[in-house]
Amino acid sequence: MIRFPRYLYDQISNVVFKPYINLTSPSLLVPQITITFPLLPMASMISSMSSVKSYGFPPGVGVSGIARISPIFGIPRVSTKKTKTATVNVATDLPGIQSPLEKEMVEDRKLVAWTSVRQERWEGELVVEGEIPKWLSGTYLRNGPGLWHVGDYNFRHLFDGYATLVGLHFNNGHLTMGHRQIESEAYKAAKNSNKLCYREFSEVPKHDSFLAYIGDLANLFSGASLTDNANTGVVKLADGRVVCLTETIKGSIVVDPNTLDTLEKFEYTDSWGGLIHSAHPIVTDSEFITLLPDLINPGYMVARMDPGTNERKVIGRVDCRGGPSPGWVHSFPVTEHYVIVPEMPLRYCAQNLLKAEPTPLYKFRWYPESKAFMHVMCKASGKIVASVEVPLFVTFHFINAYEEKDEDGRITGVIADCCEHHADTTILDNLRLQNLRSWSGEDVLPDARVGRFRIPMDGSEKGELFAALNADEHGRGMDMCSINPSFLGKPYRYVYACGAQRPCNFPNTLTKIDLVDGKAKNWYDEGAVPSEPYFVARPGAVEEDDGVVISMISDKNGEGYALILDGSTFEEIARAKFPYGLPYGLHGCWVPKN
Ligand SMILES: CC(=O)/C=C/C=C(C)/C=C/C1=C(C)CCCC1(C)C
Ligand SMILES: CC(/C=C/C=O)=C\C=C\C=O
Ligand SMILES: [Fe+2]
C-alpha cells in the first residue's frame, strides 16, 4: 500500500514496485516505486519508500510505505539505477485490497466527478459500444472547472477550478476524445509559482503583508487581480472562432477546437471597459448578445457584437429597479425581437468582494426586500418595452424565451423559462466541493423546477412565475439545460437538462422535458454524475427533437464515458468509455465539421 495525497493518487495509472539489492550491503533490499502517468510514459517518477510491509499479496502488491513524491507541477525524475521490477496496476489490483486506507482510496476514485483531472492533456480514439449516427460529424466541446488545487492547497468551490476543456470528435461513426487545461494567466501563474495568484470565484490569494493587501485591493478595482480562468462555457462564434468564457471579461480565451490548444486572449476592441459580464452570451450564426452589469450606477448594458469583429456595440441600458446593486446575471434569454434582462434579488455585493474569506453567498448577497424584476428590451431600438415586478427567484440558467401573440399576431406577452431554485440560495453552498465530496446518502439537493415567467406586454406592473410542469416528473432537480438551437427565442416544446433521482446531493439524471404534455423521460445510471445534456440536431431535421443528446458521465467506479442518447426516444444509442474518469464539466457547444 503506497500512501500519498488524494490528488496525486488520481494522477496515477500504474505503479511499478522495484526492490533491488544494495551491492555494498547485499542483505539490504532497497524498495523503490516508479509511478507512471497514463499514456505519458516519459512522465514517470521514481521515489524511494521508507517503511515497507508486505500484506502477503503477490510480489509488488500490498506493499505499504510512505512515498516521497514531487508536487503535481514538479518535473518528474527518472532513475538510472538497475532494478528488478514487479508491476502493480493501481486501477485493477487495488480495488480488491481491503485495508481501511485502500478502501478510502477506492472511495476517492468514485468521487471522480469532484476530483482534479489527472493529467494536463490526453488524446486518443475511443471504443464505441452501439452505433453513432454517421451524420454526426463535428466536435462537441465541453468546458468546466476540472482542477481544484494548487500544490497542497485545495480549492473550496466547484466554480474555483482551473478550466479543463474536453473535446469529442465525431467522424463517420468513430469517436476520438481529447482533453487539456486552458492556459489562462491564472492557471500558468499557479503552475509556475505553486500558489494561487488571482481571485477565483471563492478563492483570494493570500497576502504576505498589509502593503500587499492594499496593493491587491487596488488591483481588484483595476481588474488586475481578477481571474481569467475561462472555466464556465465555450461558444462558437458565427465567424468560426471558438471562445471559452467565464464571468470576468478578461476570462475570454480563444481555443482551437481540434487540438484544444489555447490560442490567444479574446480582446474586446471597444472602450466599454467593465470587469464582468454574463457568462452565457446569446450566440447564433448572426448574433452575439451580452449583458454587462454596471456596479457603479446599478444597471445593465445590453450589447451586440457583429461576426468577425471584437467590438461590442451598445443596444441599450436597463436601470435596476431594486438596489443597491445589479442582480447576478449568469445568463439571460432572448426572443425574436427582445432581450430579456432579469433582475434577481441575489445581487453583486461590493463589501463581499473586498473580503478575503468567502461569505455564505460569496461575492453576492440576498436582498429579498429589493424585490425581483424582469425587463424586456427591444433589440432593434434598445427601448424598454416592459418592466415588471415578479416573485423572488434564484436561477443560474435561463432555458429559452418566446413571444406570445393574440389571433391578430399582436405580441401580448413574453414567456421566459429558467432552471429555478425556489428563491433559495442554498444551492450555491451545495456546490462547495466538501459538500459534493462528502455525501452521506441523505437527500440534500434543494428542489428546483422549470420556472416559467409570464411577462405581460400591456403595461401591467406585475409578471407571474410558476412551474411549467410538475417538478416530480424530473425528481425536483433541474439545471444544466439545452434546447434545439433552431428554437432559440421561439415557441418550443423540449428541454434537455439534469434532473434528480432522489436521494441525491447533486443532479444525477438526464431528463427530456416535454413542456406541452408536461411529462419527462429520464435517464439514470446509479451513482453516476452526468454533465449537461447537449442537443445536436440532425441536418435537415424537421421535428424539434430529431437529433442526438450528448453527455459525459463520471460513473460510480471512478470511470467515465461519453453517452449518446436519441433525441426523440431518449434511449441510449451509443457510449464510449474514457481511458479514465473525468471531473464534472459545465457547458458545451457543437462545432460542425466545415
Ligand atoms: C464557473 C462558474 O459558473 C462561475 C464562475 C464565476 C466566477 C469566476 C466569478 C468571478 C467573480 C470574481 C472573481 C470577482 C467579481 C465577481 C465575480 C464575477 C463573481
Ligand atoms: C451545476 C450547477 C447547478 C446544479 C444544481 O442543481 C450550476 C452551474 C452553474 C454554472 O454554470
Ligand atoms: Fe452556466
Side-chain angles (χ1 to χ4, degrees):
M1 179 66 225
I2 302 146
R3 182 180 190 151
F4 35 70
R6 172 192 287 183
Y7 66 84
L8 268 176
Y9 177 81
D10 246 40
Q11 299 272 319
I12 291 161
S13 73
N14 209 46
V15 172
V16 182
F17 173 62
K18 299 180 173 185
Y20 70 94
I21 311 284
N22 183 327
L23 290 175
T24 49
S25 177
S27 60
L28 219 66
L29 193 72
V30 183
Q32 268 202 342
I33 55 166
T34 301
I35 297 174
T36 314
F37 287 72
L39 300 146
L40 273 177
M42 294 308 291
S44 63
M45 293 192 243
I46 300 221
S47 188
S48 57
M49 290 194 297
S50 47
S51 63
V52 179
K53 185 172 154 203
S54 169
Y55 284 114
F57 291 98
V61 181
V63 174
S64 86
I66 308 296
R68 192 163 48 79
I69 297 170
S70 43
I72 182 171
F73 293 131
I75 299 160
R77 292 172 291 131
V78 178
S79 171
T80 50
K81 288 182 182 140
K82 281 190 189 135
T83 57
K84 286 183 188 169
T85 67
T87 302
V88 183
N89 188 312
V90 175
T92 54
D93 296 342
L94 282 187
I97 302 170
Q98 287 305 308
S99 82
L101 208 58
E102 285 147 356
K103 258 194 188 156
E104 187 195 305
M105 282 181 166
V106 172
E107 284 306 311
D108 286 354
R109 293 210 137 238
K110 289 183 183 172
L111 296 168
V112 67
W114 319 119
T115 305
S116 290
V117 65
R118 58 172 66 193
Q119 62 189 45
E120 280 225 349
R121 62 186 304 166
W122 184 84
E123 195 178 335
E125 180 153 7
L126 304 181
V127 176
V128 176
E129 277 174 51
E131 216 162 303
I132 296 175
K134 296 255 191 328
W135 60 257
L136 191 64
S137 182
T139 297
Y140 169 66
L141 293 170
R142 188 198 73 176
N143 192 5
L147 196 147
W148 292 281
H149 66 273
V150 186
D152 278 344
Y153 182 73
N154 286 308
F155 293 168
R156 291 184 188 87
H157 199 275
L158 175 66
F159 296 168
D160 289 326
Y162 293 116
T164 304
L165 189 62
V166 187
L168 297 177
H169 310 284
F170 294 88
N171 184 16
N172 207 24
H174 296 279
L175 177 54
T176 53
M177 186 271 256
H179 72 76
R180 67 165 302 176
Q181 291 306 106
I182 295 176
E183 298 271 330
S184 60
E185 293 305 319
Y187 175 66
K188 288 190 288 188
K191 208 161 71 157
N192 292 336
S193 62
N194 222 18
K195 63 174 197 236
L196 181 86
C197 301
Y198 290 84
R199 287 169 175 261
E200 297 296 338
F201 176 78
S202 86
E203 297 288 344
V204 175
K206 304 275 173 289
H207 306 106
D208 299 334
S209 64
F210 183 67
L211 220 64
Y213 168 70
I214 298 297
D216 183 59
L217 283 189
N219 287 339
L220 171 60
F221 292 111
S222 72
S225 66
L226 292 187
T227 189
D228 66 341
N229 171 21
N231 68 359
T232 308
V234 51
V235 294
K236 184 190 126 326
L237 304 185
D239 55 36
R241 289 177 293 176
V242 174
V243 185
C244 294
L245 295 161
T246 186
E247 308 232 336
T248 59
I249 292 177
K250 69 197 281 204
S252 307
I253 296 182
V254 187
V255 295
D256 180 323
N258 300 313
T259 61
L260 311 186
D261 284 343
T262 300
L263 297 179
E264 59 186 358
K265 281 217 150 200
F266 188 96
E267 305 274 8
Y268 295 94
T269 51
D270 53 66
S271 54
W272 287 108
L275 301 176
I276 56 180
H277 59 181
S278 164
H280 293 273
I282 299 288
V283 186
T284 68
D285 286 347
S286 56
E287 280 187 329
F288 177 102
I289 298 179
T290 185
L291 286 192
L292 307 169
D294 180 347
L295 303 186
I296 311 292
N297 299 306
Y300 310 87
M301 300 296 267
V302 181
R304 167 190 287 123
M305 190 171 68
D306 289 328
T309 76
N310 288 33
E311 186 185 355
R312 293 161 300 188
K313 292 183 182 147
V314 167
I315 298 175
R317 182 190 154 92
V318 175
D319 288 325
C320 285
R321 288 178 58 187
S325 51
W328 184 12
V329 273
H330 183 73
S331 72
F332 63 97
V334 295
T335 67
E336 284 181 79
H337 300 98
Y338 306 121
V339 180
I340 316 303
V341 180
E343 187 179 336
M344 184 160 74
L346 181 61
R347 296 172 184 272
Y348 298 94
C349 175
Q351 293 96 304
N352 290 351
L353 213 68
L354 297 175
K355 291 192 177 134
E357 285 306 313
T359 72
L361 292 177
Y362 305 93
K363 312 289 192 280
F364 308 100
R365 216 172 123 180
W366 181 241
Y367 290 98
E369 66 291 346
S370 76
K371 301 189 177 156
F373 304 92
M374 293 291 275
H375 311 275
V376 180
M377 178 185 284
C378 172
K379 277 186 205 169
S381 68
K383 296 225 162 66
I384 312 291
V385 293
S387 174
V388 293
E389 186 189 331
V390 290
L392 302 186
F393 67 99
V394 166
T395 187
F396 297 108
H397 298 120
F398 277 88
I399 300 168
N400 199 12
Y402 59 90
E403 293 152 16
E404 266 186 340
K405 294 183 181 156
D406 63 17
E407 49 290 357
D408 300 324
R410 272 189 299 259
I411 300 172
T412 53
V414 163
I415 297 292
D417 294 338
C418 68
C419 305
E420 206 276 315
H421 294 266
H422 292 277
D424 180 354
T425 58
T426 47
I427 184 67
L428 256 191
D429 204 46
N430 266 67
L431 301 180
R432 266 193 302 128
L433 291 160
Q434 200 192 5
N435 286 341
L436 297 170
R437 287 170 180 158
S438 63
W439 187 50
S440 63
E442 279 171 83
D443 190 25
V444 288
L445 177 73
D447 287 0
R449 57 180 176 166
V450 177
R452 172 160 283 188
F453 291 98
R454 179 172 284 124
I455 307 168
M457 299 287 272
D458 59 359
S460 307
E461 286 188 356
K462 295 210 172 178
E464 297 165 70
L465 170 61
F466 52 93
L469 77 161
N470 182 341
D472 287 330
E473 282 287 323
H474 46 85
R476 289 169 285 107
M478 175 49 45
D479 221 306
M480 309 306 287
C481 49
S482 78
I483 57 163
N484 180 332
S486 310
F487 287 74
L488 181 89
K490 301 182 185 150
Y492 72 118
R493 180 167 184 173
Y494 300 112
V495 183
Y496 304 92
C498 293
Q501 171 134 332
R502 293 179 181 265
C504 60
N505 69 335
F506 193 80
N508 57 353
T509 66
L510 298 171
T511 186
K512 174 189 177 185
I513 288 172
D514 180 333
L515 291 165
V516 171
D517 284 353
K519 294 275 169 219
K521 287 181 181 159
N522 299 301
W523 176 95
Y524 175 66
D525 174 10
E526 197 228 310
V529 183
S531 71
E532 179 181 81
Y534 190 88
F535 179 85
V536 181
R538 188 178 62 78
V542 176
E543 296 300 322
E544 184 180 333
D545 56 355
D546 184 357
V548 296
V549 173
I550 305 172
S551 175
M552 295 186 195
I553 316 294
S554 310
D555 78 12
K556 68 172 176 200
N557 301 317
E559 299 180 324
Y561 54 94
L563 177 73
I564 324 292
L565 302 178
D566 179 273
S568 164
T569 62
F570 216 51
E571 300 286 338
E572 173 172 341
I573 51 177
R575 69 168 67 187
K577 198 166 177 287
F578 298 147
Y580 42 82
L582 290 174
Y584 184 70
L586 295 174
H587 304 290
C589 75
W590 176 248
V591 183
K593 207 163 193 183
N594 305 318

